[in-house]
Amino acid sequence: MNIVKSFYRLASTLYLSLVNKRFRSKLFLVFLLVTIVPISFFVIYSYLTIKEQLVHQAVENVGSTIDQINNNIENKLDLYYQISTLIYMDTDLRNYLLYRYKKNDLSYLDAYDYINKLLYKVMAMNPSLKAITIYTDNETLHSDGYFIKHMDELPETLTTQSMQAEGRITNFYPDQKSAKERVVTLARSLNYLSLNFPYGILTMEITEREFFSLIEKENKNKTILVADEQGNLITTNTKPSKILNIAEVIPQALSHTASSTLNSEMSGGKKAMVIQKPLMNGWRTVVLLPYDELLEQARNASRKMLYISLGCIIAAALLIYGTSQLMTKRFEALLHQIRKVERGNFDLSFRSMGHDEVGQLSFALNKMAMTIQDLINDVYKKEIAQKEAEMDSLQAQITPHFLYNTLASISALAVTNNNMQGHLMADDLAKFYRISLNKGKKRITIEQEIMLTRHYLSIQKTRFDGLFTVHYLLDESLLRFTTVKLILQPFIENCINHAIWDDESGITIIIRLMPDGDDLVFSVIDDGMGMPAHVLQRLAQKTDQPAGYGIYNVDKRIKLAYGERYGVDIYSRLGIGTAVSIRLPKTVTFT
């Protein structure tokens, strides 16, 4: 599951990275992939095809070579078999070997003379023979240490093997005492044909050079091994060689006695193809073809194709880059014009972009810009001017209304009491107007709106002493945002002028500021006399009638500034109280 999630995150990252790239880069990458992928498949397919053909051809060639080597070895062995047969069929030799010589009998000299001449003649005619020996169990015929020896001098394994062969030629086996002195011994039991009575064993020692001469010319990029049934090495074309058994080089070769083709790892760590075929007598010829040398031609051909492919890819990349530059240049020019429209500049300058899709798109953009500019001139600017005038008018209407009431209060208080309260009211009034006018700016911070409300309430407390109390529930993190000014004062004025129904108990006013998602909400709540349902319904219509003037004023200014989803809502019940909710967006823009 974690793997799937990791893959999904990686794919998403790559997708987003690709999507966010410039169109020119995406076009270049797509074209480059379309070029590289087929060429890569072509190079890989060519290499694999050449490799397969070379391996198949090498196997066939090596098979033919092994057949020729096996044929030559078998012809050579057949020659020695014929020699052994001539000796085996010599009746005089058999008689000399079977005769029981008495003490002081000099006839054994005739036996030595005959045997020596016969075997010397055989060796003279076959110089490849290193030695030829007859082992006899006739103790009366003394051993000469060369041509005639007794049976107890023969290795027991060879004696047993020859006797079990019952007159047939036995297998050959190498002398493994030293790799430098390696010889091959041919052994055959001598017996009466009619009685099947063995009277000796004939051995012929053949130098390894005789077999090496049959394979030494076949050493082009391959190793040839000739071994017996047990894997003992007879000869190899690799000189000098310290190998005594092919299992040292190819462990699995001994498990395959028939013709086979294997893949093996040689002792040096190199991989090689192993091809082997058996001879008639149980020997086997094994050929090792190193893959590095076998596939060198395939690598050379693939390397050439790769260089050519890289050249083609580089040329294609340059052509693709130039083409993508040419194709995206017009898109970039078109994007530049769109940016101008985005910034409100509809005076577009187009040069001819042709009659394809890009050209048609540029023509449509130019026409759209001209249409938008006409609409702005005919509708938008007029509407903005009208709303600005309306807002200025609404703003101007509130100032005299409050100013006259406040000045009247100050005047009456100053005449009646002759004290500093008049001065304090005048000071609060000055601060109130300093914030509300704000150098002609239409928006102030929430903190300034609260200060303006406090000054207003200070003035009203002087006038209506003891008739109301005020509580503030404010989220101070919202004080940095901005609002259109004078949105709380009309509702507090309504609370003081219309909600008080008992001059002795008065009312309580709560001013609350709380967040609501991306908005903020002012609430002005009182526990006064409330409003009847028909009055609340008329106020909810937010008309500019005198009874709902304050509500209409604030609601209209908020909607003009922020949109229709913002404004004023009123909730009231007769005898319980009134709650006013003012919804504003969280903004920090000053105008």
Side-chain angles (χ1 to χ4, degrees):
M1 192 65 180
N2 293 331
I3 296 176
V4 175
K5 290 182 179 179
S6 301
F7 177 77
Y8 177 76
R9 285 196 296 268
L10 178 61
S12 300
T13 303
L14 292 176
Y15 174 76
L16 291 175
S17 176
L18 181 62
V19 168
N20 294 329
K21 285 186 178 295
R22 298 179 64 184
F23 180 71
R24 178 189 303 171
S25 300
K26 288 187 279 191
L27 194 64
F28 178 75
L29 287 175
V30 170
F31 283 169
L32 199 61
L33 286 175
V34 170
T35 303
I36 291 176
V37 171
I39 292 178
S40 300
F41 276 115
F42 171 73
V43 172
I44 294 172
Y45 174 77
S46 300
Y47 172 74
L48 294 177
T49 302
I50 294 173
K51 174 183 174 182
E52 184 179 355
Q53 291 178 350
L54 284 175
V55 170
H56 180 70
Q57 183 178 357
V59 171
E60 288 187 349
N61 292 339
V62 170
S64 300
T65 301
I66 293 177
D67 289 339
Q68 184 64 44
I69 292 173
N70 287 355
N71 186 57
N72 293 338
I73 292 176
E74 287 175 349
N75 290 337
K76 178 71 70 173
L77 294 176
D78 187 60
L79 173 62
Y80 299 130
Y81 178 76
Q82 293 176 11
I83 295 173
S84 69
T85 302
L86 290 175
I87 297 174
Y88 172 75
M89 298 296 292
D90 193 325
T91 57
D92 293 334
L93 175 64
R94 182 172 65 243
N95 293 331
Y96 281 124
L97 292 174
L98 291 173
Y99 184 79
R100 296 294 175 178
Y101 300 96
K102 297 179 180 179
K103 191 175 182 180
N104 300 323
D105 187 356
L106 298 179
S107 60
Y108 71 86
L109 296 177
D110 295 332
Y112 289 152
D113 182 61
Y114 183 83
I115 293 172
N116 288 342
K117 287 181 181 180
L118 176 63
L119 298 185
Y120 268 125
K121 183 180 179 181
V122 171
M123 292 187 65
M125 294 176 62
N126 299 276
S128 59
L129 289 174
K130 180 179 181 182
I132 183 168
T133 306
I134 296 175
Y135 291 87
T136 179
D137 56 0
N138 187 355
E139 296 296 334
T140 62
L141 181 62
H142 300 290
S143 171
D144 64 359
Y146 187 68
F147 288 123
I148 300 173
K149 294 182 181 180
H150 289 147
M151 292 285 288
D152 55 4
E153 299 181 57
L154 189 66
E156 185 178 353
T157 55
L158 183 55
T159 302
T160 303
Q161 183 178 0
S162 300
M163 292 302 178
Q164 290 176 352
E166 297 180 349
R168 296 186 301 273
I169 195 166
T170 63
N171 292 332
F172 298 83
Y173 74 97
D175 184 357
Q176 297 295 329
K177 293 180 180 178
S178 172
K180 294 182 179 180
E181 300 176 357
R182 184 181 291 127
V183 295
V184 179
T185 301
L186 170 63
R188 178 175 182 171
S189 64
L190 304 176
N191 60 355
Y192 280 114
L193 294 177
S194 58
L195 301 178
N196 195 20
F197 174 75
Y199 56 86
I201 294 176
L202 171 67
T203 64
M204 290 181 289
E205 293 184 358
I206 307 164
T207 60
E208 183 253 354
R209 176 68 190 175
E210 281 299 303
F211 298 103
F212 174 74
S213 64
L214 301 178
I215 63 173
E216 63 178 337
K217 295 181 180 179
E218 301 291 340
N219 59 352
K220 295 180 180 179
N221 303 325
K222 55 182 173 288
T223 301
I224 302 175
L225 305 171
V226 179
D228 66 5
E229 291 178 328
Q230 287 73 37
N232 297 316
L233 187 67
I234 295 172
T235 187
T236 177
N237 66 337
T238 304
K239 298 295 183 179
S241 175
K242 296 182 180 180
I243 302 172
L244 299 179
N245 194 291
I246 59 173
E248 301 173 17
V249 183
I250 319 155
Q252 67 269 42
L254 293 178
S255 61
H256 296 78
T257 56
S259 299
S260 60
T261 301
L262 308 171
N263 292 324
S264 176
E265 186 171 317
M266 300 173 63
S267 56
K270 295 183 179 180
K271 292 186 177 180
M273 178 181 294
V274 181
I275 304 169
Q276 65 174 350
K277 287 187 178 183
L279 282 79
M280 296 293 293
N281 64 342
W283 288 7
R284 69 184 75 192
T285 301
V286 182
V287 175
L288 279 69
L289 286 174
Y291 271 108
D292 290 339
E293 297 179 3
L294 177 63
L295 300 180
E296 186 63 27
Q297 295 180 5
R299 292 195 182 99
N300 290 336
S302 299
R303 194 177 297 114
K304 291 179 181 179
M305 284 189 293
L306 181 61
Y307 292 152
I308 296 172
S309 300
L310 288 176
C312 294
I313 289 174
I314 293 172
L318 294 175
L319 290 174
I320 291 170
Y321 180 78
T323 304
S324 62
Q325 285 276 78
L326 182 63
M327 292 179 65
T328 57
K329 189 174 183 180
R330 292 187 300 161
F331 283 106
E332 292 177 351
L334 187 61
L335 180 61
H336 177 70
Q337 300 300 324
I338 293 175
R339 294 295 188 195
K340 290 175 65 177
V341 174
E342 182 184 12
R343 292 191 295 268
N345 183 1
F346 300 98
D347 186 15
L348 305 183
S349 56
F350 276 107
R351 61 181 181 180
S352 178
M353 290 191 177
H355 300 285
D356 60 358
E357 288 79 358
V358 180
Q360 295 177 21
L361 189 61
S362 65
F363 176 78
L365 177 64
N366 192 28
K367 191 170 182 179
M368 182 184 69
M370 294 189 329
T371 303
I372 293 175
Q373 189 171 24
D374 291 340
L375 288 174
I376 289 175
N377 291 334
D378 293 342
V379 180
Y380 182 70
K381 288 185 177 180
K382 292 179 182 179
E383 184 178 352
I384 292 297
Q386 182 181 356
K387 289 187 176 181
E388 288 288 343
E390 186 176 357
M391 288 183 67
D392 291 340
S393 175
L394 291 171
Q395 182 67 36
Q397 290 177 19
I398 194 171
T399 303
H401 179 75
F402 174 62
L403 178 61
Y404 296 148
N405 291 337
T406 305
L407 289 176
S409 299
I410 294 174
S411 177
L413 186 63
V415 171
T416 303
N417 298 316
N418 193 23
N419 57 27
M420 290 299 293
Q421 289 181 327
H423 172 71
L424 294 176
M425 290 183 69
D427 184 59
D428 286 328
L429 180 62
K431 292 178 180 178
F432 178 87
Y433 274 104
R434 187 178 298 113
I435 297 174
S436 63
L437 294 176
N438 197 23
K439 298 181 181 180
K441 292 184 179 180
K442 300 179 181 63
R443 299 187 189 183
I444 60 176
T445 63
I446 299 292
E447 184 178 13
Q448 290 176 317
E449 178 69 17
I450 297 296
M451 291 175 60
L452 190 150
T453 303
R454 291 181 186 275
H455 290 309
Y456 172 76
L457 286 170
S458 178
I459 294 171
Q460 294 294 12
K461 282 183 178 180
T462 304
R463 182 181 177 188
F464 300 99
D465 187 21
L467 292 182
F468 65 88
T469 57
V470 181
H471 298 284
Y472 294 91
L473 301 175
L474 306 175
D475 187 338
E476 295 186 357
S477 65
L478 302 175
L479 298 179
R480 63 186 180 89
F481 295 108
T482 59
T483 177
V484 292
K485 57 190 175 184
L486 290 174
I487 61 172
L488 295 178
Q489 181 271 332
F491 300 103
I492 295 173
E493 183 178 6
N494 285 340
C495 292
I496 296 172
N497 292 336
H498 303 294
I500 299 175
W501 59 278
D502 185 353
D503 292 342
E504 293 183 0
S505 60
I507 63 171
T508 300
I509 301 173
I510 299 174
I511 300 174
R512 186 171 62 184
L513 174 63
M514 301 297 290
D516 186 7
D518 293 333
D519 301 335
L520 56 88
V521 178
F522 269 116
S523 298
V524 179
I525 305 169
D526 68 75
D527 57 355
M529 62 184 301
M531 290 180 283
H534 69 279
V535 176
L536 181 63
Q537 185 177 4
R538 187 173 68 249
L539 292 177
Q541 296 176 358
K542 300 174 184 176
T543 63
D544 56 353
Q545 298 299 320
Y549 173 75
I551 299 172
Y552 171 77
N553 184 307
V554 175
D555 186 69
K556 186 67 175 178
R557 287 190 293 127
I558 291 175
K559 282 181 166 52
L560 287 173
Y562 302 115
E564 291 296 324
R565 69 182 297 263
Y566 301 101
V568 179
D569 290 308
I570 300 177
Y571 310 91
S572 181
R573 290 188 66 181
L574 188 63
I576 296 178
T578 303
V580 177
S581 177
I582 306 171
R583 180 173 293 274
L584 299 170
K586 293 179 182 178
T587 58
V588 291
T589 305
F590 291 88
T591 55

